[in-house]
């Protein structure tokens, strides 16, 4: 068997982080309180610990099976709907552009890229590197910028006297959040088993060091984005859904030109994430690109996005797809266990 070539650590982190995380963690903080970000981090650490313990076992989620292909398709559909939603949200909130125009124009750009952009591994790695750099830059610069605008003391004062529920939230809801986050993270880590195998092929110390570094950076991103949304809660912003809070906060604290530049960077970063998903689902056959499976996939994701835009939030979409993927992964595990038991029984019967 050919040994797996180790990957750069940014490849692994890039597969975890996304622009949708900024908005989803903001809604989590709004709904479950200021300590919910620590619950999310704890759920991810617990999920990764269980996953790493099972990594040495013989279990592998078979993506080539019918159920495996179904899970992979749903996962990509989740990525597209979440980020097309964000593209529409940015232009709808910041520039008052009609949601249908912004989402369909983004889909058209994606389809053009699917046809003409190169499909090689080097290009895919470059996309992942750009994705990691952009999100890292946002995680470093945005919290610093926002906290320079608002002092920590005034933030705590506003939370304590005007939004006390954010500091003192019902612990029972946090346990539910921990459970849902755990099964979601664990299921998605199982889907990335082939990628993580390329790290575990190295020595134990190198594996541990790289994975711990990746986990630390990812958890830092979550906490950094969560703190920005705590600031947004104290500003008494007028919003129709929690997903708008982050954009409205930057708009309130920034001059118009900086706000517009920020929105364009946010849109470009989201587009990069969508492009990152293209090489895995694009049908590379030449001829009749408008009838390819990738075109139909983007089209379905676009129509679903504009249909649910005004009815559901990003957190609802993320939880829905997360629970759906988790149920399918559990079904795949059960089917694999049953198949393994049947093989063992047949071997014993033959021996007897």
């Amino acid at each position: 068997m050919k040994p797996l070539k180790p990957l750069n650590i940014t490849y692994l982190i890039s597969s975890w982080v996304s622009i949708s995380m900024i908005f989803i963690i903001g809604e989590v903080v709004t709904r479950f309180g200021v300590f919910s970000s620590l619950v999310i981090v704890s759920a991810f650490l617990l999920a990764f610990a269980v996953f790493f313990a099972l990594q040495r076992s013989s279990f592998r989620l078979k993506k080539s099976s019918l159920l495996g292909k179904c899970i992979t398709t749903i996962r990509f559909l989740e990525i597209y709907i979440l980020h097309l939603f964000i593209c529409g949200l940015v232009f709808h909130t910041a520039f008052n552009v009609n949601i249908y125009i912004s989402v369909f124009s983004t889909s058209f750009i994606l389809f053009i890229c699917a046809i003409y952009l190169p499909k090689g591994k080097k290009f895919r790695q470059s996309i992942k590197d750009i994705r990691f750099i952009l999100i890292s830059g946002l995680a470093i610069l945005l919290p610093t910028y926002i906290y320079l605008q608002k002092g920590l003391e005034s933030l705590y004062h506003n939370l304590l006297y005007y939004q006390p529920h954010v500091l003192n939230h019902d612990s029972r809801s946090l346990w539910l959040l921990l459970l849902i986050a755990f099964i979601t993270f664990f299921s998605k880590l199982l889907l990335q088993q082939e990628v993580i195998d390329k790290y575990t092929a190295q020595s134990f110390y190198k594996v541990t060091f790289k994975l711990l570094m990746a986990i630390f950076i990812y958890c830092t991103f979550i906490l950094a984005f969560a703190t920005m949304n705590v600031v947004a809660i104290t500003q008494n912003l007028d919003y129709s859904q929690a997903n708008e809070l982050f954009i409205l906060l930057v708009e309130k604290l920034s001059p118009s030109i900086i706000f517009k530049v920020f929105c364009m960077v946010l849109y470009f970063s989201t587009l990069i994430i969508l492009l990152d998903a293209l090489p895995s689902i694009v049908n590379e056959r030449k001829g009749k690109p408008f009838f390819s499976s990738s075109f139909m996939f983007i089209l379905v994701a676009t129509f679903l996005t504009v249909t649910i835009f005004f009815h559901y939030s990003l957190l609802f979409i993320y939880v829905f797809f997360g629970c759906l993927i988790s149920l399918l992964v559990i079904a795949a595990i059960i089917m694999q266990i049953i198949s393994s038991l049947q093989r063992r029984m047949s071997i014993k019967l033959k021996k007897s």
Side-chain angles (χ1 to χ4, degrees):
M1 181 177 176
K2 187 179 179 180
L4 296 167
K5 183 181 179 181
L7 293 174
N8 192 306
I9 195 65
T10 58
Y11 189 96
L12 182 59
I13 301 171
S14 295
S15 63
W16 293 345
V17 297
S18 66
I19 295 298
S20 62
M21 181 174 67
I22 303 175
F23 295 88
I24 292 169
I25 194 64
E27 188 174 354
V28 169
V29 170
T30 304
R31 292 180 182 273
F32 296 95
V34 71
F35 296 108
S36 58
S37 57
L38 296 175
V39 174
I40 295 294
V41 167
S42 301
F44 178 77
L45 292 174
L46 182 61
F48 196 90
V50 175
F51 169 80
F52 190 72
L54 295 175
Q55 186 71 6
R56 301 292 179 180
S57 69
S58 59
F59 173 77
R60 289 292 183 275
L61 187 64
K62 296 179 180 178
K63 293 185 179 180
S64 58
S65 65
L66 180 62
L67 188 57
K69 290 178 181 178
C70 181
I71 294 171
T72 304
T73 302
I74 292 172
R75 172 57 179 153
F76 278 113
L77 189 63
E78 176 195 16
I79 294 172
Y80 270 75
I81 291 176
L82 284 173
H83 292 90
L84 285 173
F85 191 110
I86 291 172
C87 290
L89 186 69
V90 169
F91 280 93
H92 180 72
T93 306
F95 301 103
N96 294 319
V97 176
N98 186 281
I99 174 64
Y100 298 101
I101 296 174
S102 57
V103 173
F104 276 103
S105 60
T106 302
S107 300
F108 180 74
I109 294 171
L110 284 173
F111 182 60
I112 295 300
C113 291
I115 297 172
Y116 294 108
L117 285 180
K119 310 293 189 303
K121 291 183 178 180
K122 288 185 177 180
F123 177 76
R124 184 172 183 176
Q125 183 61 51
S126 300
I127 288 290
K128 285 192 175 292
D129 289 341
I130 295 170
R131 171 179 173 172
F132 177 75
I133 291 168
L134 287 171
I135 298 178
S136 300
L138 289 172
I140 294 168
L141 296 176
L142 281 175
T144 305
Y145 175 75
I146 288 171
Y147 278 108
L148 284 175
Q149 305 300 318
K150 293 286 180 179
L152 287 174
E153 187 175 350
S154 63
L155 289 175
Y156 179 74
H157 177 273
N158 291 338
L159 283 174
L160 186 62
Y161 289 99
Y162 300 110
Q163 287 91 11
H165 64 281
V166 176
L167 291 174
N168 305 288
H169 210 278
D170 185 4
S171 59
R172 289 174 295 181
S173 59
L174 292 178
W175 280 108
L176 177 62
L177 175 65
L178 177 65
L179 176 62
I180 294 174
F182 169 75
I183 62 173
T184 300
F185 285 136
F186 180 69
S187 300
K188 291 181 178 179
L189 284 169
L190 285 176
L191 289 176
Q192 294 179 321
Q193 206 158 24
E194 292 179 2
V195 175
I196 298 177
D197 279 342
K198 296 183 180 182
Y199 292 90
T200 55
Q202 306 169 60
S203 68
F204 177 78
Y205 294 106
K206 286 185 177 181
V207 169
T208 305
F209 176 74
K210 282 194 172 184
L211 292 180
L212 285 177
M213 183 184 294
I215 291 168
F216 174 77
I217 294 173
Y218 178 71
C219 293
T220 302
F221 284 172
I222 292 177
L223 294 175
F225 293 137
T227 57
M228 292 187 294
N229 288 279
V230 172
V231 179
I233 294 172
T234 66
Q235 302 304 301
N236 298 316
L237 298 168
D238 185 20
Y239 59 94
S240 58
Q241 57 172 280
N243 299 133
E244 300 173 358
L245 261 178
F246 176 60
I247 298 176
L248 293 175
L249 172 66
V250 179
E251 183 181 24
K252 182 176 180 179
L253 299 180
S254 308
S256 177
I257 184 64
I258 293 179
F259 175 63
K260 295 294 190 291
V261 170
F262 161 76
C263 288
M264 294 310 299
V265 170
L266 197 64
Y267 178 79
F268 179 72
S269 303
T270 308
L271 195 62
I272 285 292
I273 291 172
L274 290 169
L275 290 176
D276 188 25
L278 279 176
S280 298
I281 65 169
V282 166
N283 187 345
E284 296 185 17
R285 292 180 303 174
K286 295 182 179 180
K288 297 184 179 180
F290 285 92
F291 297 97
S292 67
S293 58
S294 59
F295 173 72
M296 298 305 298
F297 187 91
I298 295 172
L299 201 61
V300 169
T302 302
F303 276 107
L304 285 175
T305 303
V306 297
T307 302
I308 65 179
F309 185 84
F310 292 107
H311 303 286
Y312 301 102
S313 66
L314 284 166
L315 180 60
F316 177 87
I317 298 169
Y318 184 79
V319 170
F320 172 78
F321 276 104
C323 292
L324 179 60
I325 291 171
S326 300
L327 289 173
L328 292 175
V329 168
I330 291 171
I333 293 172
I334 293 173
M335 289 174 64
Q336 190 164 338
I337 291 172
I338 293 172
S339 177
S340 178
L341 289 174
Q342 288 177 341
R343 284 197 302 269
R344 290 181 183 179
M345 289 295 293
S346 63
I347 291 172
K348 286 183 179 180
L349 289 172
K350 287 179 180 179
K351 288 182 177 179
S352 61

